[in-house]
Amino acid sequence: MSLSRFTKYTISVIVLNLLVILWGSYVRQTGSGDGCGSHWPLCNGEVIPLAPNTKMIIEFTHRLSSGLALLMVIGLVIYAFRAFSKGHLARKAAAGALAFTFVSALIGAGLVLFHLVGSNDSMVRGGVLTAHLINTMLLLGSLTVAAWAGSGGRKLSLKGHGLAGWLVAIGAFAVLLVGMSGAITSLGDTLYPRDSSAQVILEGLSPAGNLLIRLRLWHPFIATGVGVYLFFMAALLGDMRPDPAVARALKFVVAMVILQIAVGVVNVWYKAPMTISLIHLFLADALWIAMVLAGVSAFTSSARKASQQDGRLQTAE
């Protein structure tokens, strides 16, 4: 299937945002979030730091890439409003992406201005990072919907899907939930690295232990439970929506779940090294994109029609 120019541009925006997300994680894991001090948007009071150290370069690069992503999203909105008619889904999704981009910038500024970076281990930081993750997922979801709609995506309806709608909604919430627990886990791994899994388990079970350590113990169990549900959802939704587009999206979901579980096991085994942690984060974002594609594909009128036709055939047999 050939992609429209708008969809190709939107995909480039998605790729850039993924790189910004990964670099943001690198900033946190290297403790470079305070590389520009408590200044924002300036870096140590300068527009361009003249004598930067390594931490400053890492943080300043993240700010530059985030600014570029904002400009590209603004370009996406302009493109959508020029290319599509009033009320088109691509317009709405692009506008949503811009709103979430602004919120992301505000959260990033808050992390710096309120010193929720570096070695800060407060639950306020954990809560803000969780909010940041949810907003980032919504941003990626909006961009994904824009790309889908711009490629000639079929008419979308969010009402009247019954069990299929609940399966997708619960699946989306589950992916967000495991993402939130992963964000807390990653923060705990960064601030409190441990030499053995046994030590993590003992500290996680101790009521006197730091909450970040205790919470990260549960991430593998949450991830496993969500993975099982997504396998169940894919099997059931595939039968309920026998449509080629839905089938492709569900295969994407299943593939990402399998890869995530495999990389997650390796990540735990090797005590969360940076490279594997970044791969784990990338796959988490890819899983969310797959989930969004599965949802919009299942919620089209043609997918519902295919389901109804399949039901009539089964009744006739």
Side-chain angles (χ1 to χ4, degrees), residues 5-304:
R5 290 182 179 179
F6 175 82
T7 296
K8 290 178 181 178
Y9 177 77
T10 308
I11 291 174
S12 72
V13 178
I14 293 173
V15 171
L16 176 58
N17 273 274
L18 288 173
L19 293 175
V20 171
I21 292 167
L22 293 176
W23 193 258
S25 178
Y26 180 72
V27 170
R28 178 183 50 74
Q29 292 187 59
T30 57
S32 302
D34 56 355
C36 288
S38 58
H39 300 83
W40 193 94
L42 300 178
C43 186
N44 278 341
E46 300 173 324
V47 176
I48 300 176
L50 300 178
N53 55 34
T54 301
K55 290 176 63 175
M56 192 182 299
I57 292 173
I58 293 173
E59 167 62 9
F60 188 67
T61 301
H62 180 56
R63 294 188 184 189
L64 286 179
S65 61
S66 298
L68 177 59
L70 172 60
L71 292 176
M72 289 193 69
V73 173
I74 292 174
L76 178 69
V77 173
I78 296 172
Y79 198 160
F81 274 72
R82 289 175 63 90
F84 302 102
S85 60
K86 183 179 180 180
H88 196 281
L89 182 58
R91 278 189 171 194
K92 297 177 181 178
L98 181 59
F100 292 127
T101 300
F102 278 124
V103 172
S104 182
L106 290 175
I107 294 176
L111 287 169
V112 172
L113 296 176
F114 291 98
H115 307 287
L116 300 175
V117 292
S119 60
N120 185 301
D121 64 351
S122 67
M123 286 312 299
V124 174
R125 182 183 184 184
V128 174
L129 284 179
T130 300
H132 200 11
L133 178 132
I134 293 174
N135 184 77
T136 299
M137 291 295 201
L138 294 176
L139 167 59
L140 288 176
S142 296
L143 291 172
T144 301
V145 173
W148 179 84
S151 66
R154 297 161 292 180
K155 186 177 180 180
L156 189 66
S157 173
L158 299 178
K159 297 180 180 180
H161 292 281
L163 180 57
W166 281 107
L167 286 170
V168 172
I170 294 172
F173 175 77
V175 174
L176 283 176
L177 179 62
V178 75
M180 288 186 286
S181 69
I184 296 298
T185 298
S186 184
L187 179 60
D189 287 336
T190 300
L191 297 178
Y192 300 102
R194 293 296 183 257
D195 295 327
S196 68
S197 298
Q199 189 177 6
V200 172
I201 294 173
L202 288 175
E203 292 181 351
L205 294 175
S206 172
N210 185 283
L211 191 57
L212 289 176
I213 298 177
R214 287 158 54 194
L215 288 176
R216 70 176 176 175
L217 176 65
W218 299 105
H219 176 64
F221 298 101
I222 295 172
T224 301
V226 170
V228 171
Y229 172 80
L230 292 177
F231 284 136
F232 168 79
M233 181 207 73
L236 197 56
L237 190 61
D239 288 337
M240 297 177 66
R241 293 288 189 268
D243 180 82
V246 178
R248 288 193 298 269
L250 291 175
K251 288 179 181 178
F252 187 15
V253 171
V254 170
M256 289 303 100
V257 171
I258 293 173
L259 285 174
Q260 268 290 65
I261 292 174
V263 173
V265 170
V266 174
N267 203 33
V268 171
W269 183 264
Y270 287 102
K271 313 300 179 297
M274 186 182 299
T275 301
I276 300 178
S277 295
L278 291 176
I279 294 173
H280 201 34
L281 174 60
F282 171 76
L283 291 175
D285 291 333
L287 173 58
W288 172 250
I289 290 173
M291 190 66 227
V292 172
L293 287 174
V296 293
S297 298
F299 289 166
T300 59
S301 56
S302 57
R304 183 188 296 178

